[in-house]
Amino acid sequence: MNYNYLELPNPKFGLNHIHEATRIVDNALGVGYFQEHLSEIECAWVCLDNNSVVAWAAVTTDRHPTAPSIGCLKCVAVDPLYRGQGIARKLTELRLDYLTRDEAHCFLIASHAWVRPDGYCPSCGILESLGFKPHRELEGYYANAKYKCPSCKGKCKCVARQYIKTNQR
């Protein structure tokens, strides 16, 4: 398939993109996830099939004038009908490109991968194939979230696997 990928610098996310992205993200990561984290997002991307949003991904950065920047890959969510087509990988590549550009140049990039109670981790393979190294597992990372986990159907028991990648020039 030939999809269009669109970079959306914050705070200029189009209202139609936010509405569609909310549905996809909340379905994939839990109802309320999108709204809880929206204010943190520096830049986001959508994948469009025709003019419909079928996936969303975002980044945050920690910048300081006298210290190197640190980037974080925030959520990536793909509509269930579009999974398995390389969309999450493409969105991750676009986010990495953004975080390593000269103007952003994050010396360290981190990500938390959601490991479901059954052990399935949708992002782990993508992150590892792009040079990320597992750093540690965080039990109870999502337990106090305000949103409902779609896997646990209530208080989340999923583990977060923290990944890091250094950006060498």
Side-chain angles (χ1 to χ4, degrees):
M1 291 295 245
N2 192 12
Y3 300 115
N4 292 321
Y5 294 87
L6 181 63
E7 184 175 313
L8 304 170
N10 193 6
K12 300 174 184 159
F13 305 137
L15 289 178
N16 58 328
H17 295 312
I18 284 185
H19 176 71
E20 292 180 59
T22 300
R23 175 185 56 80
I24 292 166
V25 173
D26 284 356
N27 178 54
L29 303 174
V31 175
Y33 181 95
F34 191 85
Q35 289 302 319
E36 184 175 330
H37 295 282
L38 187 59
S39 65
E40 304 166 8
I41 296 170
E42 176 175 316
C43 192
W45 290 259
V46 290
C47 174
L48 302 172
D49 183 9
N50 293 315
N51 286 323
S52 296
V53 175
V54 299
W56 163 275
V59 297
T60 61
T61 57
D62 182 8
R63 300 182 195 279
H64 190 276
T66 60
S69 298
I70 298 172
C72 183
L73 302 179
K74 284 304 265 188
C75 69
V76 60
V78 179
D79 184 297
L81 297 175
Y82 291 84
R83 291 180 186 158
Q85 298 181 41
I87 294 171
R89 181 181 182 84
K90 177 67 175 177
L91 288 168
T92 301
E93 290 169 349
L94 290 169
R95 294 182 295 159
L96 283 174
D97 179 59
Y98 175 86
L99 293 171
T100 58
R101 291 178 193 163
D102 284 341
E103 62 272 16
H105 185 63
C106 295
F107 88 98
L108 181 72
I109 302 169
S111 184
H112 292 99
W114 178 30
V115 182
R116 297 179 184 165
D118 63 3
Y120 178 64
C121 180
S123 301
C124 293
I126 294 170
L127 292 170
E128 290 175 22
S129 73
L130 293 171
F132 282 83
K133 303 290 183 216
H135 179 62
R136 64 181 175 161
E137 299 228 341
L138 305 166
E139 299 284 337
Y141 184 79
Y142 305 106
N144 295 319
K146 296 175 186 168
Y147 48 87
K148 281 188 173 180
C149 174
S151 288
C152 300
K153 309 294 185 219
K155 186 174 179 177
C156 188
K157 298 169 191 71
C158 299
V159 171
R161 185 169 299 147
Q162 187 177 50
Y163 281 90
I164 57 172
K165 177 178 180 160
T166 56
N167 180 21
Q168 308 281 330
R169 284 200 206 209

